[in-house]
Amino acid sequence: PDLEPSIPPNKGGGKSSGSSSSSSSSSKKKASLKSHSAPDLEDQEEEMTVDSGLAEVDAALSSRVVVHETLHARLALVDHSKNSDKYYILQVLVDGKKKKIKKGGSASKTGLDYYLFTRWGRTGTGGQCNLEGPFVGGENHAEKGFSNLFKSKTGVEWAKAVRGAPPKTGKYEYLESVSKGDKDASWYYYLTLDPFGKADGWYEYDKNNADEVESLYLQYVASKHVARLSARFIHSTSSGYTYKVNLGDLTQTNTNSGKARPIKRTTTGKPPS
């Protein structure tokens, strides 16, 4: 029976490796994330926001680094035949320590440290993350580690990568850059025949789930509504359920029970009429 009217909160998960296999860094740190906050897209583009998972590995570093101006990417691997949806985030981070640096990593390269941060897992989970650095060879070695890892995941040379290009079979897609979100955006699901007796009607997603779906929706819009990204799968390790969220026909389906519900996005601050 379908006993879950909405997508459950995000929890940690994932088992795959995120190392760039570079020997040029002085240290490596890995962590499994118990939770994850979706990116705040009202502030800036998603990829230019230091991923929240970094704070779980090194809170002090997270508070002072910025994302490199060009060395960052968000990838997705969606397999509709298996109800599978995975993400991979790569960011080269620039640490000026006591030197003031701007967003985008612009500053004199003297005294800067470079790190490679990655986070990966099933969409809807915190997944796992890996931090390498500071790189002994500085920016060049950080870029090499980034480029090697990007190619291993996408099958494409970083120098030749094109955002939004169809992915190679079995490989990750290099997603389009996501624009700023709408601060008034909200997501609702339509509940009927609730086993716990709730009245039929529109109910708002909790913040974590709304932010997750909003992020996927913005990716879909940025792709110019490409069919392969119209349906995404959000997994919950707390319930064990995976939900198919169809951003084209606006439905949410529990892949275990097959129960489908209408969903809607509003920017009015009010439930759908």
Side-chain angles (χ1 to χ4, degrees):
D2 182 10
L3 302 180
E4 302 233 356
S6 64
I7 300 168
N10 298 338
K11 298 291 180 181
K15 296 180 180 180
S16 58
S17 172
S19 173
S20 68
S21 300
S22 170
S23 60
S24 302
S25 58
S26 61
S27 66
K28 298 181 181 180
K29 298 180 182 179
K30 287 187 177 181
S32 294
L33 304 185
K34 295 180 180 179
S35 62
H36 167 63
S37 300
D40 182 1
L41 299 182
E42 297 171 18
D43 177 48
Q44 56 185 308
E45 291 185 359
E46 182 173 4
E47 290 176 12
M48 294 304 293
T49 303
V50 175
D51 190 84
S52 62
L54 178 61
E56 299 291 327
V57 181
D58 192 325
L61 184 67
S62 178
S63 68
R64 66 177 188 261
V65 295
V66 296
V67 178
H68 190 281
E69 186 175 16
T70 59
L71 300 176
H72 52 81
R74 187 177 184 95
L75 315 177
L77 178 57
V78 184
D79 188 337
H80 293 92
S81 68
K82 298 179 180 178
N83 294 341
S84 175
D85 195 317
K86 298 186 288 186
Y87 64 87
Y88 210 102
I89 297 167
L90 303 90
Q91 296 182 332
V92 168
L93 304 173
V94 186
D95 178 15
K97 296 183 178 177
K98 296 182 179 180
K99 177 174 290 189
K100 186 177 181 180
I101 54 178
K102 301 177 181 179
K103 290 181 180 178
S106 59
S108 168
K109 294 184 180 181
T110 304
L112 299 182
D113 283 333
Y114 293 85
Y115 295 79
L116 175 58
F117 175 82
T118 53
R119 184 167 65 83
W120 66 96
R122 300 175 73 176
T123 298
T125 70
Q128 292 186 322
C129 59
N130 185 69
L131 176 67
E132 298 183 53
F135 285 84
V136 175
E139 184 178 23
N140 289 339
H141 284 184
E143 181 174 4
K144 181 179 179 180
F146 175 93
S147 300
N148 289 344
L149 188 52
F150 181 90
K151 183 179 181 181
S152 75
K153 297 302 174 183
T154 64
V156 178
E157 296 280 355
W158 169 244
K160 299 178 181 179
V162 178
R163 288 182 182 272
K168 293 188 175 184
T169 303
K171 292 292 188 177
Y172 282 80
E173 175 173 350
Y174 179 26
L175 296 171
E176 295 278 4
S177 181
V178 173
S179 62
K180 293 181 180 179
D182 189 322
K183 63 182 179 61
D184 295 319
S186 300
W187 284 88
Y188 294 81
Y189 60 92
Y190 193 80
L191 181 63
T192 57
L193 303 175
D194 179 53
F196 298 114
K198 282 187 177 181
D200 291 358
W202 290 104
Y203 289 83
E204 188 172 7
Y205 280 45
D206 65 41
K207 186 179 187 309
N208 282 343
N209 295 327
D211 288 347
E212 188 76 55
V213 176
E214 179 71 1
S215 177
L216 298 181
Y217 169 78
L218 292 175
Q219 289 173 17
Y220 178 51
V221 171
S223 75
K224 298 180 174 60
H225 304 93
V226 68
R228 64 180 176 273
L229 295 179
S230 64
R232 302 296 300 271
F233 299 88
I234 301 179
H235 179 73
S236 167
T237 53
S238 62
S239 69
Y241 293 136
T242 296
Y243 293 84
K244 179 180 181 180
V245 177
N246 194 310
L247 300 165
D249 65 16
L250 293 177
T251 57
Q252 168 192 300
T253 304
N254 184 314
T255 59
N256 181 60
S257 68
K259 179 67 175 179
R261 305 182 189 280
I263 61 175
K264 279 191 177 181
R265 178 182 187 265
T266 72
T267 57
T268 63
K270 299 178 181 180
S273 56

